Amino acid sequence: MVRIITDSAADVEPRELAEKLKKYDVISFDIFDTLIFRPFSAPTDLFYIVGERLNYMDFEQIRRQAEHEARLKEYKKSGSYEVTLEQIYEEVELQTGISHDVGMKMEIDVELECCMPNPYMFRVLELLRKEGKTIVCTSDMYLPEETINQMLKNNEYNNRH
């Protein structure tokens, strides 16, 4: 496995990065903050919008705390801190009374609305696709797989890549 990290896209043109990568048969990209951008300074800023739409004050802090609690519970149970969005919203429901289904749907809707493609990486993937390369998109995000797939599709990273 070879890992290429570029701290500044301005240093390397998309064509140049694609040239470096095309010698590999399979190329993997992380989805969030690589292929997909969010228009926030911090990923948790999204929770302010979710809270506003749910009409729940201080939701950002509650959502962060619920995720923390869900991770602690999961660690005690399995030895892993990895949780699902459903586990997080089960904690939100305990703390707020907001149905976990309603909260999850709202967060997913806001994620889908706010995310946008990284134009630099979009171009790199287009060039690699033309070379017939196998592209793998990965994430350790707690969002459901179908949501991540929809996000990629909405941002034109569909099966063409």
Side-chain angles (χ1 to χ4, degrees):
M1 179 171 131
V2 176
R3 187 172 189 185
I4 297 176
I5 300 172
T6 57
D7 289 329
S8 174
D11 294 342
V12 179
E13 292 293 320
R15 186 169 302 285
E16 191 178 338
L17 179 56
E19 277 297 314
K20 288 179 182 181
L21 294 174
K22 78 178 191 179
K23 64 183 173 183
Y24 303 102
D25 295 328
V26 178
I27 303 140
S28 175
F29 295 98
D30 187 51
I31 295 171
F32 293 96
D33 300 324
T34 301
L35 299 180
I36 300 285
F37 283 155
R38 294 169 168 146
F40 306 115
S41 297
T44 56
D45 289 351
L46 176 111
F47 306 151
Y48 289 109
I49 297 170
V50 175
E52 181 180 306
R53 292 192 184 171
L54 290 171
N55 199 27
Y56 206 96
M57 291 181 61
D58 207 21
F59 184 80
E60 185 271 342
Q61 188 213 341
I62 293 165
R63 169 58 178 77
R64 281 188 300 108
Q65 183 63 35
E67 183 173 338
H68 177 75
E69 293 296 324
R71 289 183 187 281
L72 289 177
K73 283 183 180 179
E74 183 61 28
Y75 184 78
K76 287 178 183 174
K77 187 170 81 176
S78 70
S80 169
Y81 286 106
E82 296 304 315
V83 295
T84 64
L85 190 63
E86 186 168 9
Q87 288 172 294
I88 294 167
Y89 273 91
E90 286 169 358
E91 288 296 318
V92 169
E93 185 172 0
L94 289 173
Q95 294 179 29
T96 65
I98 297 169
S99 160
H100 73 280
D101 290 334
V102 169
M104 281 178 35
K105 182 178 181 338
M106 183 62 69
E107 183 166 329
I108 287 169
D109 289 349
V110 173
E111 283 278 13
L112 290 171
E113 287 174 34
C114 291
C115 289
M116 63 190 84
N118 173 344
Y120 176 88
M121 292 308 297
F122 188 86
R123 182 70 183 131
V124 170
L125 263 67
E126 284 289 296
L127 293 166
L128 292 170
R129 183 185 61 79
K130 288 179 183 174
E131 294 288 332
K133 298 301 174 183
T134 300
I135 306 296
V136 177
C137 300
T138 62
S139 179
D140 62 354
M141 177 63 128
Y142 47 72
L143 289 171
E145 181 179 349
E146 59 272 6
T147 300
I148 294 172
N149 287 335
Q150 185 63 49
M151 194 175 294
L152 290 168
K153 183 179 178 184
N154 289 358
N155 288 283
E156 300 184 34
Y157 287 114
N158 53 23
N159 291 335
R160 296 179 314 152
H161 301 290

